[in-house]
Amino acid sequence: MTGPRTVLISGASVSGPALAYWLHRAGFAVTVVEKAGALRGGGYPVDIRGTATEVVRRMGLWPRLRQAHVGPRRATFLDAAGRTVTSLRAAPADEGEPRDLEIRRGDLADALYGLVRHDVEFLFGDSVSRFDPAAHGVDVTFRSGRQGTYDLVIGADGMHSATRAALFGPEDRYHRYLAYCFALFTLPNPAHLHRELVLWNAPGKAAALYATGEGPEVHGFLTFHRPEPPRDALRDPDAQRALVAEVFAGEGWEIPRMVAAVRDTDDLFFDTAGQIRMPRWTHGRAALVGDAAYAPSFLTGQGTSLALSGAYVLAHALAAHRDHTAAFAAYEDRMRPYVTANQALVDEGGATLFPVTARALEQRDARLRALDALPSARPRPAHTALTLPDYEGRPAPSSGVTRARPVR
């Protein structure tokens, strides 16, 4: 084989562009396909913690992402009647240089895309319709009719990965439901909240308004406990809106306004809290990375960190091993303990902000009342349970994008 190895990455959110950056540094020719017509902006804030902070430092992104840090300066907790349980300012130490970062998902996507947009081929508004094994690669047919042959295919297309479904089987085999549903959306900010979180709780359900800046909108968040997943609502936006209205009917505070926003918004994101647990993340010439392989759920706050770290480790393994089988084995061996430790956080109180029973809610509120300031996010051993290998890849010359071979 002559020329650089070619890689198709499906998904242009976090792990996809991050993987593309590291693979390009090692001399791979990378194509990223994304079903959305453009880079997706906005979105709820995400956390970058532990090992992942070192990944973004090695990418040279820390200064930019540090400027985009939006951690709350105050958190106010309300009871079911809308009365204040406590209101806590951030600890003084949190006003300085952060140990971890909280940034808007769109800001992270912009930063990652900016690193590689001139060096990597991006196919927006397209997706893969078919994978076929070839003699020395994978033949790919896109929904647009385009075809190409790639040495390797990587699924970085999220928790509900179409790549995983096509190459590894249906999601039900790997999905672990965690008994919560949630809705994310934006709504007006008439109270002019600024860098503030307001969290309302009743047993088994919660609502939050989160202002990351001074803009006219805030992020809305509604979550509720449900022992069995609402399968009929998962792919039906109208059913999702109806379910949210049913669960929160009759509640006070800002809940009626939030339910109305769920009904009217065009940016509703509804899903269940769940994890993807797979015995293997690689098969043949295909691999999965990020939420497609090992989504830990929002209850751990580690989805973005696993995506960034996994992209680094996978790229390092592919750069270090010419044989993809050995590379994939190295990726699995290094990442598996880190993923396992972080997914286990849900069993160590990952849902403490959303108590299911009245007793558990009373106990949580009592702990909050005893605090003088908003506690810093407690570092967990799981956050740093991965030591990054040194990356030997050198920046490849930016003399244009090398495309897959052949394109027919």
Side-chain angles (χ1 to χ4, degrees), residues 210-236:
Y210 185 17
T212 58
E214 295 180 296
E217 292 185 324
V218 293
H219 296 286
F221 174 77
L222 293 168
T223 187
F224 54 94
H225 178 74
R226 196 172 186 88
E228 296 296 327
R231 298 187 187 279
D232 293 342
L234 290 180
R235 290 174 176 81
D236 183 345

Side-chain angles (χ1 to χ4, degrees), residues 12 17 20 30-34 39 113 116-117 120-124:
V30 183
T31 298
V32 180
V33 62
E34 167 57 52
L39 198 66
Y113 178 65
V116 294
R117 63 191 181 95
V120 167
E121 180 183 23
F122 280 84
L123 305 176
F124 287 105

Side-chain angles (χ1 to χ4, degrees), residues 1-9 18-31 116 119-121 151-152 314-322 391-405:
M1 182 176 66
T2 61
R5 286 185 284 176
T6 56
V7 181
L8 174 69
I9 300 172
L19 178 62
Y21 169 81
W22 293 111
L23 288 178
H24 171 71
R25 277 194 53 170
F28 288 76
V30 183
T31 298
V116 294
D119 303 317
V120 167
E121 180 183 23
D151 296 314
L152 302 169
L314 176 55
H316 176 273
L318 288 169
H321 299 275
R322 187 75 185 181
Y391 200 82
E392 301 299 333
R394 295 186 300 275
S398 300
S399 56
V401 173
T402 303
R403 301 181 183 274
R405 55 165 220 301

Side-chain angles (χ1 to χ4, degrees), residues 315-331:
H316 176 273
L318 288 169
H321 299 275
R322 187 75 185 181
D323 175 64
H324 69 274
T325 302
F328 286 167
Y331 165 57

